[in-house]
């Protein structure tokens, strides 16, 4: 018997159908750093408050879901692997001389 696997079958293994455990760890660390920075340093201006919230904002942007990929972190990882991994292509096609042997 042949079974058809739905495209979103891996979502059941994710937390809240969106996050991997490492994604929640990254988001949690960013939020905790921002929270403690706001407790320790009281910002005097809007720019200071934004600077203290940057760890939470950056970690939140890294775990935002992106269509056709899991999230921005995965997109960045794929781009880095594409540009820095060694690419070794092997020719497995036909050749003119092989046709007449």
């Amino acid at each position: 018997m042949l079974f058809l696997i739905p495209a979103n079958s891996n979502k059941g293994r994710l937390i809240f159908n969106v996050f991997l455990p490492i994604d929640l760890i990254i988001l949690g660390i960013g939020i905790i750093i921002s929270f403690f920075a706001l407790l320790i340093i009281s910002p005097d201006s809007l720019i200071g408050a934004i600077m203290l919230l940057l760890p939470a904002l950056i970690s939140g942007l890294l775990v935002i879901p992106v269509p056709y990929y899991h999230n921005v972190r995965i997109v960045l990882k794929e781009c880095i692997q594409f540009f820095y991994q060694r690419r070794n292509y092997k020719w497995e096609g036909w050749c003119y001389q092989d046709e007449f042997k």
Side-chain angles (χ1 to χ4, degrees), residues 1-70:
M1 299 203 88
L2 297 173
F3 296 102
L4 189 61
I5 299 172
N8 61 355
S9 64
N10 284 334
K11 281 189 153 191
R13 290 192 240 162
L14 303 175
I15 301 169
F16 304 122
N17 291 336
V18 177
F19 299 108
L20 290 171
I22 189 69
D23 297 332
L24 288 180
I25 291 169
I26 291 171
L27 184 62
I29 289 172
I31 290 172
I32 288 170
I33 289 172
S34 291
F35 178 73
F36 283 118
L38 285 170
L39 283 179
I40 295 170
I41 305 167
S42 62
D44 296 333
S45 65
L46 180 64
I47 300 295
I50 291 173
M51 293 297 285
L52 293 176
L53 289 173
L54 269 178
L57 295 173
I58 291 172
S59 63
L61 285 174
L62 284 175
V63 299
I64 281 180
V66 176
Y68 306 113
Y69 288 93
H70 178 67

